[in-house]
Amino acid sequence: VQLQASGGGLVQAGGSLRLSCVLSGRTGTFSFYAMGWFRQAPGKEREHVADITWNGGVTHYADFVKGRFTISRDKAKNTVYLQMNSLKPEDTAVYYCVAGPSTVQLNYWGQGTQVTVSS
């Protein structure tokens, strides 16, 4: 399984970014995988941001992103997205794409993509 994330960058507070992550490998099986995003800020532990079931029917969000971030997926492209709006400096972190058999089994991790929000 390979997870390739992209879309990070530098943005001013209040701005928006959209992260993308492509899942590749034995896609016949992995098309049924849940996917999601975690993040890790400097000096802090990794924390869950959002996840989505294989069919996109159920999503979960951390309280600190509710109303600002939206997770979605394109099954045909094996891609998950994280639309991040109203970004705050405290959203600055490395964002990691994850995947697994369910939203509580997100066992596969991709490389991170840096998101920096300036004040």
Side-chain angles (χ1 to χ4, degrees), residues 1 3 23 33-36 97-102 105-110:
V1 177
L3 295 163
L23 184 153
Y33 269 31
M35 297 183 74
C97 177
V98 295
S102 73
Q105 294 177 283
L106 298 170
N107 304 320
Y108 298 98
W109 290 70

Side-chain angles (χ1 to χ4, degrees), residues 84-113:
M84 305 186 294
N85 298 328
S86 302
L87 283 161
K88 305 175 182 179
E90 51 264 45
D91 293 318
T92 294
V94 177
Y95 284 71
Y96 295 90
C97 177
V98 295
S102 73
T103 56
V104 293
Q105 294 177 283
L106 298 170
N107 304 320
Y108 298 98
W109 290 70
Q111 95 294 352
T113 185

Side-chain angles (χ1 to χ4, degrees), residues 6 8-9 18 31 42 45-46 56 63-65 88 95 108 114:
S6 61
R18 188 175 83 153
S31 295
E45 295 185 351
R46 284 182 183 181
D63 286 345
F64 53 77
V65 302
K88 305 175 182 179
Y95 284 71
Y108 298 98
Q114 177 71 48

Side-chain angles (χ1 to χ4, degrees), residues 11-24:
V11 64
Q12 290 187 334
S16 298
L17 282 174
R18 188 175 83 153
L19 305 183
S20 300
C21 177
V22 179
L23 184 153
S24 61

